[in-house]
């Protein structure tokens, strides 16, 4: 039997050896780790661009880089963080590792397609990055026409890179949906699925429905530059606002590609560390689909000042506010789960609480922006920047960090170093709020986004924001170094250090090549947590 | 490893499925989802078409007259026929009739070539008359100032469709090679079936394109 080897410590990391065994692997766990490292590499690059933006904005006037360079820097920061970091971060990296295991499957439905998705992603990312060396792009990550048609530089490289990466996203989504349908362990009925799976399912739907629209939009934009097709070019009779409609038909749902997976992570972490059954299981599961559904009908709120029409503005404003309902359902359910729980403040839980704080601010300020009269004033100001950073960094990255710490023992077989993880959390939380909270204020006072300069009255808050960005950077480096050190110094993790009930914890750490020693059979839902006697409370620092 | 690989009719399904039937069902579902993606992608183009046609109905009326209905109709018949030969290839693969699979794949391939040849004559005729997309448009007979937009849509939509035809032809070759290697049997014919899905989809897109482009004049 193949299983005898497992008893002697065979796991997915030592199952085969050498560089090629990784590059050609079909194992979803290895592919997940490859995604994770690539994403983190790009996160470093995107982060350095962010620090550069903040350095330029440290003082009024030109501090470090000239306006044209500044335009390129914020374009790279945005494009890298959106297309190369946040969109693949949780679905492709953590999702690949965790999703099949949570289902009790041996792999995803299409392992070769999964590896292909990874290489498509890398190829697209490199293609987009190559623009750096060929004149760069200064359109912003949104590539609005007609500017993106006329501006010089390597705009096509960035657009085509994003186009290619889109296929990776589509194929990952497709793979996950089929996996969830076809490869669930015996007894794992829909009503027993972990909430991370529900969130991934909703995300995958958005990926396969919205991404192709971005693909065709970007392709048309390339044709626009190469063959002058004019569909978005007012000079020839085309319509630049059509580009905005197409772009946001993808890019608004894409925001939920970024936020639904971390919501899934949070839904796993909170019950485990509160030792209580999740509150509102069905409400959380359905609200993921509610968000995915509403995601497709709110894109027009990016066009409130584009002249799309008063009726359209009114309808989109109303629909946008609807998003707050399923989102609120989730937040209240998480808080309800913690109520009277025996909360352990380990690093994943701290990050989950950080998510709650930041995401709630990000979400509520979204309601401000959905309100027409207020949005006219706030459009294209730093208020918008602060809002979506609270959602994307505060939400998506906090969720990623929660997940990375939560599953670290499963991935590596070692515990992360708890103290360092907590210190890094406080640096990140403080740094994040110091960086972005002042931006709400300067934004409300009228400081526009995407300028390399600002009026002197905004200087104090901008200086504060820049200092905050250093705190944030220290926090991220601290977390990274801490996890790296944990690989060597961490204690050996048991199979299930958190005493969690989802299936991935019912397998050895690190898991064997085929995930489980014996095929798991599911008999209950995964949230039957009870308070444990003799549990020592963990202090948050 | 004998416990993880179950052999059915000479075909070994992948280790993470319980049976070849499960694997087949999963592959089909994956292909359907991919088709959904394709629909959304073409959907963007059809939305652009609808919007501009609503903005400039008389321009569409005039510009459409300059498309060759006969050639478009010929291509419609060619593609519908190729869908038939593709179905016959799928049926042959289900029965394990190697010769018939190759015959019908070959016919489908030839019909696709025919489609592209007709397309080539259409495109080159237009280019000769200066009927090019958008800013490259130089024709003077078509007077409506927005007419270049119609031809932009025409080239982009039929061009992306033709690209799908070319991809389909590549898939036919790939299937033929695998057929010659005796990889398909009544126990395993998934790739033939799935390429069949794809081919019908490509056919369907043309069935929408033909009236919307050629017959509105």
């Amino acid at each position: 039997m193949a299983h005898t080897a497992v008893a002697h410590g065979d796991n997915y990391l030592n199952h085969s050896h050498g560089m090629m065994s990784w590059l050609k692997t079909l194992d979803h766990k290895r592919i997940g780790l490859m995604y994770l490292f690539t994403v983190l590499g790009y996160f470093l690059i995107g982060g350095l661009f962010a620090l550069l933006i903040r350095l330029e904005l440290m003082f009024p006037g030109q501090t470090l880089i000239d306006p044209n360079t500044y335009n390129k820097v914020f374009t790279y920061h945005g494009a890298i963080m959106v297309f190369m970091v946040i969109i693949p971060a949780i679905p492709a990296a953590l999702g690949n590792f965790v999703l099949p295991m949570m289902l009790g499957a041996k792999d995803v439905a299409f392992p070769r397609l999964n590896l292909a998705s990874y290489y498509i992603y890398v190829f697209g990312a490199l293609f987009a990055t190559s623009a750096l060396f060929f004149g760069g792009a200064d359109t912003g990550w949104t590539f609005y026409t007609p500017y993106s048609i006329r501006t010089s530089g390597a705009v096509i490289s960035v657009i085509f890179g994003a186009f290619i990466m889109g296929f990776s996203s589509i194929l990952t989504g497709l793979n996950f949906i089929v996996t969830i349908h076809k490869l669930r362990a015996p007894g794992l009925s829909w009503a027993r699925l972990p909430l991370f799976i529900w969130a991934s399912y909703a995300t995958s739907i958005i990926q396969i429905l919205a991404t192709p629209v971005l693909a065709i939009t970007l392709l048309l934009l390339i044709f626009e530059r190469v063959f002058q097709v004019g569909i978005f070019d007012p000079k020839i009779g085309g319509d630049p606002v059509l580009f905005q409609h197409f772009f946001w038909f993808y890019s608004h749902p894409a925001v939920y590609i970024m936020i639904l997976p971390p919501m899934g992570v949070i839904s796993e972490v909170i019950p485990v560390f509160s030792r209580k059954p999740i509150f509102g299981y069905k409400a959380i599961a359905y609200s993921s689909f509610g968000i995915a559904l509403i995601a497709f009908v709110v894109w027009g709120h990016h066009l409130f000042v584009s002249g799309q029409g008063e009726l359209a503005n009114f309808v989109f404003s109303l629909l946008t506010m609807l998003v707050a309902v399923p989102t609120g359902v989730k937040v209240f359910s998480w808080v309800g789960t913690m109520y009277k729980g025996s909360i352990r403040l380990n690093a994943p839980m701290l990050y989950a609480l950080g998510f709650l704080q930041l995401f709630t601010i990000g979400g509520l300020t979204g309601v401000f922006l959905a309100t027409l009269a207020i949005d006219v004033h706030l459009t294209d100001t730093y208020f918008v920047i602060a809002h979506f950073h609270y959602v994307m960094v505060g939400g998506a990255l906090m969720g990623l960090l929660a997940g990375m710490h939560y599953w670290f023992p499963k991935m590596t077989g070692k515990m992360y170093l708890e103290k360092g993880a907590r210190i890094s959390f406080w640096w990140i939380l403080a740094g994040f709020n110091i960086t972005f909270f002042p931006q709400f204020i300067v934004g409300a006072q009228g400081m526009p986004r995407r300028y390399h300069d600002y009026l002197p009255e905004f200087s104090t808050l901008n200086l504060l924001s820049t200092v905050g960005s250093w705190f944030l950077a220290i926090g991220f480096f601290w977390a990274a170094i801490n996890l790296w050190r944990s690989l060597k110094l961490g204690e050996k993790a048991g199979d299930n250090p958190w005493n969690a009930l989802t299936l991935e914890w019912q397998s050895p750490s690190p898991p064997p090549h085929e995930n489980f020693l014996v095929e798991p059979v599911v008999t209950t839902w995964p949230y039957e947590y009870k308070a444990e006697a003799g549990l020592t409370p963990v202090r948050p620092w | 490893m004998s416990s993880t690989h179950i052999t059915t009719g000479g075909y070994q399904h992948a280790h993470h499925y319980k049976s070849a039937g499960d694997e087949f069902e999963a592959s089909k579902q994956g292909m359907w989802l991919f088709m959904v993606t394709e629909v959304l992608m073409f959907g963007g183009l059809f939305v652009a078409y609808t919007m501009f046609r609503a903005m400039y109905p008389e321009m569409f009326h005039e510009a459409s007259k300059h498309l060759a209905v006969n050639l478009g109709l010929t291509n419609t018949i060619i593609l519908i026929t190729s869908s038939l030969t593709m179905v016959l290839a799928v049926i042959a693969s289900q029965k394990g009739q190697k010769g018939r699979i190759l015959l019908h794949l070959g016919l489908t391939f030839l019909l696709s070539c025919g489609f592209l040849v007709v397309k080539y004559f259409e495109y080159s005729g237009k280019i000769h008359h200066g009927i090019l997309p958008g800013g490259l448009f130089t024709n003077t007979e078509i007077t409506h100032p927005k007419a270049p937009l119609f031809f932009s849509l025409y080239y982009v939509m039929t061009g992306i469709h033709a690209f799908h035809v070319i991809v389909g032809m590549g898939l036919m070759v790939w299937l033929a090679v695998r057929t010659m290697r005796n990889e398909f049997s009544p126990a395993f014919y998934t790739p033939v079936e799935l390429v069949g899905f794809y081919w019908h989809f490509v056919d369907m897109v043309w069935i929408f394109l033909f009236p919307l482009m050629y017959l509105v004049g």
Side-chain angles (χ1 to χ4, degrees):
Chain A
M1 284 296 287
H3 293 154
T4 48
V6 177
H8 298 290
D10 177 67
N11 64 48
Y12 80 103
L13 294 168
N14 63 20
H15 182 73
S16 52
H17 296 277
M19 188 76 171
M20 286 317 281
S21 80
W22 279 84
L23 294 179
K24 287 161 69 178
T25 185
L26 298 181
D27 185 338
H28 68 98
K29 300 182 286 304
R30 286 187 169 199
I31 294 172
L33 286 192
M34 279 156 47
Y35 264 115
L36 188 62
F37 282 108
T38 318
V39 163
L40 292 177
Y42 269 105
F43 180 61
L44 176 67
I45 301 173
L48 292 175
F49 281 121
L51 288 173
L52 199 54
I53 293 174
R54 280 319 317 164
L55 273 180
E56 170 54 39
L57 295 175
M58 196 169 170
F59 304 110
Q62 184 169 320
T63 313
L64 200 68
I65 45 180
D66 63 84
N68 286 324
T69 316
Y70 181 81
N71 291 347
K72 290 178 185 171
V73 169
F74 76 66
T75 301
Y76 295 135
H77 167 68
I80 289 175
M81 288 305 200
V82 169
F83 294 117
M84 298 166 205
V85 180
I86 307 181
I87 286 180
I90 296 186
L94 295 183
N96 245 315
F97 193 98
V98 174
L99 180 133
M101 294 198 68
M102 276 189 163
L103 294 169
K106 289 176 183 164
D107 209 320
V108 292
F110 311 114
R112 262 185 297 180
L113 192 66
N114 198 20
L115 183 65
S117 310
Y118 172 73
Y119 283 114
I120 293 170
Y121 160 69
V122 171
F123 181 68
L126 290 177
F127 205 94
T129 323
S130 73
L132 275 172
F133 308 102
F134 299 102
D138 60 353
T139 57
W141 79 278
T142 49
F143 313 119
Y144 269 19
T145 53
Y147 184 70
S148 57
I149 305 172
R150 312 241 193 281
T151 180
S152 61
V155 181
I156 291 180
S157 308
V158 184
I159 297 172
F160 197 60
F163 173 80
I164 297 170
M165 283 185 278
F167 284 95
S168 164
S169 191
I170 291 171
L171 295 175
T172 303
L174 183 156
N175 219 334
F176 283 4
I177 291 183
V178 178
T179 309
I180 296 169
H181 273 277
K182 302 292 182 189
L183 292 175
R184 302 195 306 275
L188 188 55
S189 60
W190 291 93
R192 288 174 180 167
L193 280 183
L195 290 164
F196 181 75
I197 303 288
W198 281 111
S200 300
Y201 193 111
T203 309
S204 301
I205 290 177
I206 303 177
Q207 282 175 308
I208 64 164
L209 291 182
T211 318
V213 179
L214 178 75
I216 195 65
T217 311
L218 296 181
L219 204 59
L220 284 173
L221 189 50
I222 292 172
F223 291 159
E224 202 86 29
R225 280 183 75 96
V226 180
F227 304 116
Q228 304 179 35
V229 293
I231 289 171
F232 303 132
D233 190 349
K235 203 174 79 182
I236 313 178
D239 187 350
V241 179
L242 182 67
F243 176 85
Q244 297 186 23
H245 279 291
F246 277 0
F247 182 81
W248 290 111
F249 184 84
Y250 163 76
S251 294
H252 194 79
V255 174
Y256 301 110
I257 298 179
M258 305 180 203
I259 199 65
L260 280 168
M263 286 172 161
V265 174
I266 302 306
S267 304
E268 297 304 323
V269 168
I270 286 185
V272 169
F273 291 90
S274 303
R275 310 314 300 169
K276 252 191 73 192
I278 187 108
F279 180 84
Y281 170 85
K282 278 188 183 165
I284 296 180
Y286 292 150
S287 61
S288 291
F289 286 87
I291 291 174
L293 189 74
I294 301 171
F296 282 99
V297 291
V298 299
W299 78 88
H301 67 226
H302 295 270
L303 285 79
F304 282 160
V305 297
S306 73
Q308 65 177 343
E310 277 171 23
L311 179 67
N313 276 357
F314 170 72
V315 172
F316 279 122
S317 169
L318 199 69
L319 288 168
T320 302
M321 289 186 192
L322 273 185
V323 185
V325 176
T327 314
V329 165
K330 279 184 190 290
V331 172
F332 285 121
S333 296
W334 293 323
V335 175
T337 306
M338 287 189 281
Y339 178 66
K340 288 193 175 173
S342 342
I343 295 172
R344 287 184 293 178
L345 289 174
N346 295 81
M349 186 63 173
L350 282 179
Y351 279 112
L353 295 175
F355 171 97
L356 275 183
Q357 187 247 316
L358 302 180
F359 176 75
T360 304
I361 294 180
L364 288 176
T365 50
V367 180
F368 298 12
L369 290 168
T371 313
L372 283 173
I374 298 177
D375 184 75
V376 171
H377 171 63
L378 293 176
T379 291
D380 278 343
T381 67
Y382 261 81
F383 191 92
V384 177
I385 304 279
H387 155 69
F388 73 71
H389 279 83
Y390 264 84
V391 178
M392 290 188 195
V393 188
L397 284 179
M398 279 283 175
L400 177 69
L401 282 161
M404 279 172 68
H405 285 89
Y406 177 58
W407 283 301
F408 187 86
K410 183 51 62 183
M411 290 175 170
T412 63
K414 299 261 184 120
M415 292 305 287
Y416 62 85
L417 299 168
E418 187 68 53
K419 196 178 166 195
R422 270 182 234 164
I423 294 171
S424 67
F425 165 76
W426 289 109
W427 278 97
I428 292 172
L429 186 76
F432 181 86
N433 280 302
I434 299 171
T435 309
F436 291 104
F437 203 84
Q439 296 183 4
F440 279 125
I441 302 167
V442 288
Q445 289 172 346
M447 177 172 160
R449 65 190 286 198
R450 291 185 168 174
Y451 284 76
H452 89 305
D453 191 9
Y454 50 84
L455 297 173
E457 56 256 43
F458 301 134
S459 52
T460 315
L461 288 171
N462 270 291
L463 180 62
L464 188 63
S465 178
T466 302
V467 174
S469 71
W470 303 336
F471 276 59
L472 193 52
I474 290 171
F476 282 131
F477 277 115
W478 202 308
I481 293 166
N482 185 60
L483 286 180
W484 190 254
R485 288 181 69 225
S486 307
L487 286 176
K488 285 183 190 149
L489 304 174
E491 288 171 38
K492 204 167 164 5
D495 293 353
N496 191 357
W498 309 125
N499 220 346
L501 298 175
T502 40
L503 284 179
E504 79 274 25
W505 298 103
Q506 320 309 323
S507 145
S509 307
H513 177 61
E514 290 197 333
N515 291 350
F516 296 93
L517 300 180
V518 272
E519 188 186 32
V521 176
V522 181
T523 52
T524 101
W525 77 321
Y527 297 105
E528 287 298 345
Y529 293 106
K530 290 186 205 76
E532 289 165 14
L535 202 69
T536 44
V538 186
R539 287 179 358 137
W541 42 76
Chain B
M1 298 301 280
S2 59
S3 65
T4 50
H5 289 273
I6 299 155
T7 314
T8 349
Y11 169 70
Q12 269 195 341
H13 62 82
H15 75 115
H16 55 295
Y17 288 101
K18 289 204 176 61
S19 71
D22 284 358
E23 187 182 51
F24 180 57
E25 288 304 316
S27 306
K28 273 210 296 201
Q29 191 183 40
M31 198 65 194
W32 277 114
L33 290 171
F34 182 69
M35 296 291 96
V36 171
T37 303
E38 287 274 25
V39 168
L40 265 292
M41 195 210 59
F42 277 102
L45 290 171
F46 282 106
V47 167
Y49 173 94
T50 311
M51 199 196 83
F52 286 117
R53 192 168 152 192
M55 281 167 81
Y56 315 113
E58 72 298 342
M59 179 273 274
F60 273 65
H61 187 76
E62 185 192 334
S64 170
K65 285 183 185 157
H66 293 266
L67 296 183
V69 180
N70 289 341
L71 294 179
L73 183 64
T74 312
N75 261 350
T76 310
I77 294 166
I78 288 178
L79 268 195
I80 291 179
T81 315
S82 79
S83 254
L84 174 69
T85 55
M86 189 68 223
V87 172
L88 293 173
V90 173
I91 293 174
S93 76
Q94 289 167 345
K95 293 181 179 164
Q97 298 162 325
K98 183 179 168 186
R100 276 172 181 269
I101 306 178
L102 289 173
L103 170 71
H104 291 299
L105 284 178
L107 284 174
T108 316
F109 187 87
L110 282 179
L111 286 165
S112 326
C113 287
F115 177 88
L116 290 179
V117 169
V118 172
K119 207 82 230 138
Y120 167 77
F121 283 115
E122 271 194 88
Y123 280 174
S124 54
K126 296 222 161 30
I127 292 166
H128 182 71
H129 288 102
I131 301 178
L132 284 155
L136 305 173
F137 191 84
T138 52
N139 184 288
T140 47
E141 291 165 39
I142 306 170
T143 48
H144 198 291
K146 305 291 187 204
L149 259 188
F150 176 84
F151 293 101
S152 291
L153 286 168
Y154 166 77
Y155 278 107
V156 170
M157 293 173 89
T158 57
I160 292 177
H161 176 263
F163 175 77
H164 278 78
V165 172
I166 295 168
V167 169
M169 290 165 73
L171 293 172
M172 305 291 161
V173 174
W174 172 70
L175 286 182
V177 171
R178 292 190 70 175
T179 309
M180 285 196 276
R181 286 195 201 136
N182 291 321
E183 287 184 32
F184 303 129
S185 67
F188 176 71
Y189 53 88
T190 316
V192 191
E193 174 104 11
L194 299 190
V195 172
F197 278 27
Y198 172 83
W199 195 250
H200 299 317
F201 170 78
V202 173
D203 192 10
M204 291 266 289
V205 173
W206 182 259
I207 287 171
F208 281 93
L209 282 177
F210 175 61
L212 288 178
M213 288 291 172
Y214 294 79
L215 302 182
V216 292

